[in-house]
């Protein structure tokens, strides 16, 4: 992908300007939009490779923009949200956003998240039977898990939880998504199960479960497995 096109929807004029010039400086093409409706129009006319979307927009709820975008585009979406809008961020991930940043965020973090989600789309075209996270190796075809070369035995539920995270290629998975995938529909609120099983997984698959390196907690949102991306 040469010079990916990023649509930036942000109503704060100074931030929009800053994002535009910073992203251009780092080799991206940028389409700026200062509102939701303008953003949706530009999305349809230019079909961007990535949408960077502020959730607090004056004319149209950012979540509505996301919903509309997802009806026709599979391009990655990174949402920007205020710290006070935790629930909105989780809702955005449930609606198909790929990642989020809480304002205020650093430019380096934004650039890193963008690189990761863009690499993921290249990767999604190739099935990944083996997922690597540091010294943790998950063979999704053989259903085998090893840590530093030693096979680790997991219960069926632990494996399903691990698999849900591993198939996301480093993407954050919300509590609701994990509960639905591992325990089935109707279990969307039983987050305590999830915390218990995540604790068990960490005990088996982290060298220091109190300072997890593979299974990252996204407070109030969900978990992500810190996988290694093959070089694109
Ligand atoms: Ca805003």
């Amino acid at each position: 992908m040469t010079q990916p096109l990023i649509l930036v929807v942000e109503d704060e004029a100074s931030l929009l300007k800053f994002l535009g010039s910073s992203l251009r400086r780092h080799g991206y093409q940028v389409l700026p939009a200062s509102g939701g409706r303008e953003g949706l129009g530009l999305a349809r006319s230019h079909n961007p490779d990535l949408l960077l979307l502020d959730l607090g927009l004056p004319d149209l709820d950012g979540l509505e923009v996301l919903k509309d975008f997802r009806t026709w585009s599979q391009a990655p979406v990174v949402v920007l949200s205020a710290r006070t809008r935790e629930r909105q961020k989780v809702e955005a991930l449930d609606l198909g956003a790929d990642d989020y940043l809480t304002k205020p965020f650093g430019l380096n973090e934004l650039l890193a998240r963008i690189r990761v989600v863009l690499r993921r789309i290249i990767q999604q075209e190739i099935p990944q039977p083996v997922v690597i996270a540091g010294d943790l190796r998950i063979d999704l075809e053989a259903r085998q898990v090893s840590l530093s070369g030693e096979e680790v035995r997991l219960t069926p539920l632990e494996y399903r939880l691990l698999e849900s995270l591993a198939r996301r290629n480093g993407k954050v998975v919300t509590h609701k998504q994990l509960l639905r995938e591992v325990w089935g529909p109707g279990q969307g609120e039983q987050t305590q199960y999830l915390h218990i099983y995540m604790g068990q997984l960490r005990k088996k698959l982290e060298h220091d479960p109190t300072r997890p390196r593979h299974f990252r907690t996204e407070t109030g949102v969900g978990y992500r497995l810190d996988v290694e991306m093959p070089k694109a």
Side-chain angles (χ1 to χ4, degrees):
M1 206 187 289
T2 55
Q3 288 222 312
L5 176 65
I6 301 181
L7 171 61
V8 184
V9 183
E10 169 60 68
D11 62 307
E12 236 173 277
S14 55
L15 183 55
L16 181 62
K17 205 172 150 201
F18 168 76
L19 290 171
S21 61
S22 308
L23 292 170
R24 281 192 194 98
R25 221 169 344 107
H26 285 85
Y28 298 104
Q29 301 180 71
V30 178
L31 260 178
S34 53
R37 282 181 219 290
E38 185 192 355
L40 280 177
L42 286 173
R44 286 188 185 270
S45 57
H46 289 74
N47 193 15
D49 299 305
L50 187 146
L51 170 61
L52 187 59
L53 174 67
D54 177 30
L55 292 180
L57 298 169
D59 63 330
L60 196 59
D61 190 331
L63 293 174
E64 294 302 318
V65 175
L66 171 62
K67 245 189 253 174
D68 183 286
F69 186 67
R70 269 289 169 264
T71 60
W72 62 273
S73 174
Q74 286 308 306
V77 176
V78 176
V79 298
L80 307 175
S81 79
R83 197 170 293 279
T84 49
R85 297 287 190 83
E86 196 79 7
R87 187 193 288 264
Q88 209 186 25
K89 191 162 74 183
V90 177
E91 227 177 302
L93 292 167
D94 281 331
L95 284 172
D98 295 82
D99 209 345
Y100 68 89
L101 280 164
T102 304
K103 290 180 179 179
F105 51 83
L107 179 61
N108 285 337
E109 188 176 9
L110 172 67
L111 292 168
R113 298 292 175 92
I114 288 175
R115 278 196 302 273
V116 169
V117 292
L118 286 175
R119 227 178 290 153
R120 201 181 287 141
I121 39 172
I122 298 165
Q123 223 188 347
Q124 267 163 6
E125 287 154 23
I126 320 153
Q128 299 289 321
V130 175
V131 175
I132 308 282
D135 50 5
L136 175 63
R137 184 178 186 278
I138 305 146
D139 186 330
L140 294 168
E141 245 157 47
R143 298 174 73 90
Q144 271 174 354
V145 183
S146 62
L147 184 67
S148 305
E150 299 267 326
E151 196 176 335
V152 180
R153 302 198 62 108
L154 298 178
T155 67
L157 261 177
E158 288 165 358
Y159 183 80
R160 281 221 295 277
L161 179 56
L162 174 66
E163 192 182 19
S164 286
L165 290 163
R167 289 201 187 279
R168 285 332 203 300
N169 289 331
K171 182 174 163 176
V172 55
V173 193
T174 65
H175 296 138
K176 205 188 200 170
Q177 288 169 331
L178 286 168
L179 285 163
R180 212 167 35 215
E181 286 176 19
V182 178
W183 281 271
Q187 302 294 328
E189 308 304 322
Q190 306 293 327
T191 42
Q192 74 272 25
Y193 295 164
L194 188 55
H195 297 320
I196 291 168
Y197 277 86
M198 187 55 67
Q200 287 176 203
L201 263 189
R202 281 177 170 153
K203 228 179 259 169
K204 291 186 178 180
L205 301 176
E206 295 276 7
H207 291 290
D208 181 358
T210 59
R211 275 184 301 173
R213 289 174 47 223
H214 307 317
F215 300 94
R216 304 280 186 169
T217 297
E218 299 287 333
T219 308
V221 178
Y223 297 97
R224 77 166 95 218
L225 177 63
D226 221 345
V227 301
E228 261 157 48
M229 300 282 174
K231 300 274 174 290

